[in-house]
Amino acid sequence: MEGKMELRHLRYFVAVAEEGSLTLAAEKRLHTAQPSLSRQIRDLEYEVGVPLMIRSVHGIELTAAGRAFLDHARLALTQAEAATEAARRAAQPPRTLFAIGFLTGYEMDWLPAVMEILRAELPSTEVIIHSQDSPDLAAGLTHGKIDLAFMRPEKQASGLKFRLLRKDPLIVLMPRDHALAARSSIRPQDIAGQTFIGVSPVRAPTTWAAINDYLKPIGVKPDHQAENLAMGISLVASTGGIGLLPLYSQNLLPKTVVSRPIRGAPPTVDLVIGYNEANTSPLVKFILAKVDDLKSLVTKSGSR
């Protein structure tokens, strides 16, 4: 070999050592002729200066020197692969980061549609997903940590713009064994006198306002306030009470909690795409231009 130890010699040695046979290594792993493989191993041993393998009718066994050499050969091959991958990554164009926020629970409906819209952009784009309450999403948009968010319209969020996606009706949640669960729909007066689970006016101001406007005329006030969707469902299950939440919450219900529609015209809450008007990301404009396609994809998937 004239003083040259190459990566291929290390690969050949490792293959023979792991297979325990020149024949198997040549045919199964290396797809080369056995005489050629034997010559490469002899060249390697000549370069190292000591025998690495003992050849017998039973196959190949490593010498003490061969066992020591095997560990280092594997490490060298691993480092070579890592170096190759690092070089390839460095040669590729830098990936664009794009952060998308979802009001917790809505990612089940809208994330697949967003990824479908962005499919052609994904080779050069790393998508980061945030699942938060609407006020936190608004803060993320304001501070540039989130590029686009599926959220409620936040009135106090200066500099943000909103595009309406749809109006989600509120539904009634209750334990599966609740007396009202036998009804196909619920009237507002049915809720009076029940333990009522409300939502936080701080964490869910839009939903809180819709519920308050709907129930205020019949004098229903919350006995408990949920800070988030999961807490609201948990309180319904644990207290035996009733809650009002947007329709998408039925995607997350355990078997012990059921939902019923509100009879008549239910109150609704807006689902919007929020973005910071100062955000210059071309992907924001790209998705906003595809809003109708997004709606169509979600409708086709049967989500609501």
Side-chain angles (χ1 to χ4, degrees):
M1 283 200 311
E2 299 181 353
K4 291 183 179 179
M5 184 184 300
E6 301 178 11
L7 285 176
R8 61 187 171 89
H9 297 110
L10 299 183
R11 280 196 291 268
Y12 291 164
F13 172 76
V14 170
V16 173
E18 291 178 348
E19 294 295 338
S21 165
L22 283 163
T23 302
L24 290 177
E27 294 177 354
K28 289 177 56 179
R29 295 272 292 271
L30 303 172
H31 307 292
T32 188
Q34 182 178 329
S36 173
L37 177 58
S38 296
R39 187 168 57 254
Q40 299 288 346
I41 296 298
R42 284 197 302 271
D43 289 345
L44 177 62
E45 289 179 314
Y46 177 80
E47 175 66 22
V48 175
V50 295
L52 300 175
M53 296 179 172
I54 300 173
R55 299 153 182 83
S56 71
V57 294
H58 303 294
I60 295 293
E61 292 183 9
L62 296 182
T63 63
R67 288 192 293 272
F69 188 81
L70 179 60
D71 291 336
H72 290 280
R74 284 172 170 156
L75 178 60
L77 289 173
T78 300
Q79 291 175 330
E81 290 173 4
T84 300
E85 181 60 28
R88 288 172 177 167
R89 285 199 303 268
Q92 293 174 349
R95 287 167 65 84
T96 301
L97 295 180
F98 189 65
I100 306 175
F102 292 91
L103 189 61
T104 302
Y106 272 106
E107 59 268 36
M108 298 175 68
D109 282 3
W110 293 89
L111 179 55
V114 171
M115 297 305 282
E116 176 67 21
I117 293 292
L118 288 176
R119 183 169 54 180
E121 308 294 329
L122 292 180
S124 59
T125 303
E126 181 178 347
V127 178
I128 300 171
I129 308 300
H130 296 268
S131 180
Q132 297 173 324
D133 293 334
S134 194
D136 291 335
L137 294 174
L141 291 171
T142 299
H143 294 104
K145 295 181 178 180
I146 298 176
D147 293 297
L148 203 71
F150 292 73
M151 58 190 295
R152 304 285 179 228
E154 296 292 329
K155 296 180 179 179
Q156 305 303 318
S158 61
L160 301 190
K161 297 286 188 179
F162 304 106
R163 287 276 298 276
L164 179 67
L165 288 172
R166 69 187 189 196
K167 292 181 175 292
D168 285 341
L170 297 185
I171 56 174
V172 183
L173 304 187
M174 67 192 77
R176 180 174 292 278
D177 57 0
H178 195 282
L180 292 177
R183 303 189 181 186
S184 59
S185 61
I186 306 298
R187 303 170 300 173
Q189 55 266 40
D190 296 330
I191 299 173
Q194 304 286 340
T195 299
F196 185 70
I197 311 301
V199 300
S200 166
V202 176
R203 305 309 307 161
T206 304
T207 303
W208 176 86
I211 293 172
N212 187 60
D213 291 346
Y214 184 67
L215 294 180
K216 190 174 182 179
I218 57 173
V220 173
K221 295 182 179 180
D223 298 284
H224 305 279
Q225 275 191 357
E227 292 294 315
N228 53 53
L229 185 65
M231 183 178 177
I233 295 172
S234 178
L235 284 172
V236 167
S238 60
T239 67
I242 283 181
L244 292 183
L245 285 173
L247 179 62
Y248 80 99
S249 62
Q250 66 186 8
N251 293 337
L252 307 173
L253 297 184
K255 293 181 179 180
T256 55
V257 177
V258 297
S259 66
R260 296 291 181 267
I262 292 174
R263 190 175 303 176
T268 62
V269 287
D270 291 349
L271 174 66
V272 300
I273 287 184
Y275 60 98
N276 191 325
E277 58 185 343
N279 190 315
T280 59
S281 169
L283 290 180
V284 171
K285 295 180 180 179
F286 179 75
I287 291 180
L288 290 173
K290 299 281 187 177
V291 164
D292 289 340
D293 293 338
L294 273 175
K295 293 179 184 178
S296 177
L297 285 169
V298 171
T299 301
K300 285 179 182 178
S301 72
S303 300
R304 188 59 190 104

